[in-house]
Amino acid sequence: MRYYVQRVALAILLLLAVSMLTFGALNILGDPLFNILGPVAGDVNNPDSIKMIALAKKEFNLDRALPVRYFIWLSHFVRGDFGVTFSSTGQPPVSGVISERLPRTISLVFLAQMFAIFVSIPWAIIAAARAGKVSDRISTINAFFLVAMPNFAIAVILKFVFSLKLGWTPITYVADDPLSSRLFQLLLPALTIGLPVAAVYQRLLRTDLITTLQQDFILLARTKGLSKTRILFVHALRPSLFSFITVVGLNTGALIGGSIVAETVFRIPGIGSTLVESIFRNDFPVVLAIVMIVASAFVVINLLVDFAYTLIDPRVRR
Amino acid sequence: MSTTSVTPAPEDTIVRKKLGFGFWLCVTWIGLMAFIAIFAPVLPLKSPTANFLDSARGRPPYAPSWSHWFGTDKDARDVFSRSLYGARISLTVGFTAITAGFLIGGSLGVISGYYKGWIDRISSFGFIVLLSFPSLVLAILLTSLIDRNLLTVSLVLGLLSIAPVGRLARAATLQYADREFVLAARQIGATNRRIIIKEILPNVAIPMSSLALLGMAVAVVAEGGLAFLGFSVQKGITWGGLIQLGSDASKTLQDAPWIAFFPILMLFLTVLSLNFAGDRLRTFFDVKETTL
């Protein structure tokens, strides 16, 4: 129990540090007043501009000290109020933008993660069972090639081959389409993110499986006459999954980063592409909200991974 | 030494390690790219910004031909020389970033692994905070707020490599901090600074340096990703930027795939070489499996 409390406390501490860093970076390195008003912010000789500046400062609490602003923002943020977007009308509110677009990114990352896990496990098992043979070497080379391919390059290649040349997959994502066709539209983006990650998982799990297969209990299982498939999938897999699970958690960060690229290339209005657009539009509250949500998700996922770890190996808790 | 009996290893268990042909092939490619990156302006290359409009061939982009090996882009600029020039920023940023990361992260890691206590706690917490951001998100956030030039983009990517490098250096230092030769040095009155430099650093630096190539591959890919999204160095040619230019409009990608695909090839071969050579070096120095 104590272990869980400690881990949760650390996670909360981390989130606070992350939020301070993000808020601080955007407020100190960036210029919030300019982001709100545009060129008017620098026009301090025109009385109208001075009035607007004073109003904006009041409305967005810019006349307060930075720590005060941070606490005001944080108290709103934890209640789900992410502020207003910087447009002429302030509509839709940031929370509206997020709740509309976040589900797309979550489904994309989830699809990619599932793809990577369910491809890499059998791939690693087959490779480990034939370790050192020609087929294993070929698969190792393939994994190496995939790892060396940046995901934006994979996105461009997949789009070129499957959307433009073969015409098998649609080029655009249509938010109003029924679920099944939207899932199909997410196929190439999910492959973009999932393929290199699958290769990373495969390389790791293959090495761990080969180590496990050399242990005595595998020899015992073999002398008992169990089938090779049963030994591989039942006896060897579970003890080999420790570092695999950690890496799956850590790679969620890579998947989120990949979703920014994939959403941009395949024009999916998720929070990744929105982050890029908002930065170019200087839409500071949206950027802040997205970075915070993404970082929080990452921290929470790794916390859950740590907990999952204790289920497989209870010794970790002590 | 003569009093301790050490069983000599049997002849057949000694495996003479070799780096292998593939390693040298990769090193050659990296060397070639580095050479081109440095000497591109004096090499007999076409100008990467000149317009090679040829009225006889109609409207650009032109497909690859004898005069333009990789074809030209929509502004009739030579893709071959642009792809080579792209190595300049990509490799400079990759190299500077990983150097900065190793210097800062490495020293932080060694210091916190050696002194332990509160220094260790603070820097370890700092590392975890940096690792709490998906790296591309942090890179985009920071590069969007600064004036993007060669140095600042390199430093942002260097900042991202501090935490992974620092954790590795710390773990490696912890292995040695309480060993006999360190205790012996302390017994004869060596200062902490001398112990770190003379005793710890040589043991930590060699395995760490074999990870430098892998780290550089990560930095080159990260720079490419930033450039692809429009967050890398503002002026100049980068691989990521060239790929973005060739794939931004579906029509360009469909009609003139060479604009995007040749830079992809260069980037891929470079990252592959860095990864492969780094992997071989790591096995050669017998560094434990760690994710950088």
Side-chain angles (χ1 to χ4, degrees), chain A residues 145-147 149-160 188 191-193 195-196 266, chain B residues 264:
Chain A
F145 276 36
L146 271 180
V147 172
M149 195 59 114
N151 48 25
F152 56 93
I154 295 185
V156 171
I157 294 171
L158 288 178
K159 184 179 175 183
F160 177 73
L188 284 193
L191 280 181
T192 298
I193 315 172
L195 273 173
F266 293 100
Chain B
I264 287 181

Side-chain angles (χ1 to χ4, degrees), chain B residues 178-198:
Chain B
D178 293 324
R179 291 277 288 272
E180 292 82 354
F181 62 90
V182 176
L183 293 179
R186 197 173 290 143
Q187 282 305 312
I188 57 172
T191 58
N192 282 333
R193 211 178 82 183
R194 191 187 157 85
I195 294 177
I196 288 178
I197 294 173
K198 293 264 176 182

Side-chain angles (χ1 to χ4, degrees), chain A residues 10 13-14 17-19 21-22 25-26 29-31 144-157 159-161 164-165 171 200 203-204 207 247 250 252-254 256-258 260-261 264-265 267 275-276 279-280 287 290-291 294-296 298-299 302, chain B residues 125 128-138 140-142 144-146 148 167 220-226 228-231 239-240 243-244 246-251 253-257 260-261 264 267-269 271-273 275-277 279-280 282 289 291:
Chain A
L10 178 68
L13 205 60
L14 269 181
V18 162
S19 67
L21 211 68
T22 315
L26 280 165
L29 293 175
D31 181 356
F144 224 103
F145 276 36
L146 271 180
V147 172
M149 195 59 114
N151 48 25
F152 56 93
I154 295 185
V156 171
I157 294 171
K159 184 179 175 183
F160 177 73
V161 175
L164 299 176
K165 285 290 155 186
I171 297 175
V200 172
R203 287 178 60 186
L204 179 87
T207 319
V247 170
L250 285 176
T252 312
I256 294 171
I260 300 178
V261 170
T264 307
V265 174
R267 309 256 191 277
L275 175 66
V276 175
I279 285 175
F280 286 125
V287 176
I290 291 179
V291 173
V294 163
S296 315
F298 193 35
V299 170
N302 280 311
Chain B
F125 185 73
I128 312 178
V129 171
L130 280 176
L131 291 172
S132 297
F133 290 94
S135 45
L136 187 62
V137 174
L138 187 57
I140 290 179
L141 176 70
L142 292 176
S144 72
L145 295 170
I146 53 169
R148 291 189 287 278
R167 293 185 112 186
V220 168
V221 170
E223 191 278 333
L226 283 179
F228 185 79
L229 294 170
F231 293 106
W239 282 329
I243 297 166
Q244 199 270 340
S247 65
D248 196 28
S250 296
K251 200 179 168 336
L253 184 60
Q254 187 160 22
D255 298 343
F261 276 54
I264 287 181
L267 177 60
F268 170 68
L269 288 177
V271 174
L272 185 71
S273 302
N275 270 341
F276 188 79
D279 209 57
R280 295 296 308 161
R282 188 174 60 178
E289 278 285 335
T291 42

Side-chain angles (χ1 to χ4, degrees), chain A residues 235-247:
Chain A
H235 294 252
L237 186 59
R238 191 176 135 145
S240 312
L241 281 177
F242 292 115
S243 36
F244 182 80
I245 288 174
T246 321
V247 170

Side-chain angles (χ1 to χ4, degrees), chain B residues 204-228:
Chain B
V204 174
I206 292 173
M208 289 295 291
S209 63
S210 74
L211 295 171
L213 286 179
L214 294 175
M216 192 169 157
V218 176
V220 168
V221 170
E223 191 278 333
L226 283 179
F228 185 79

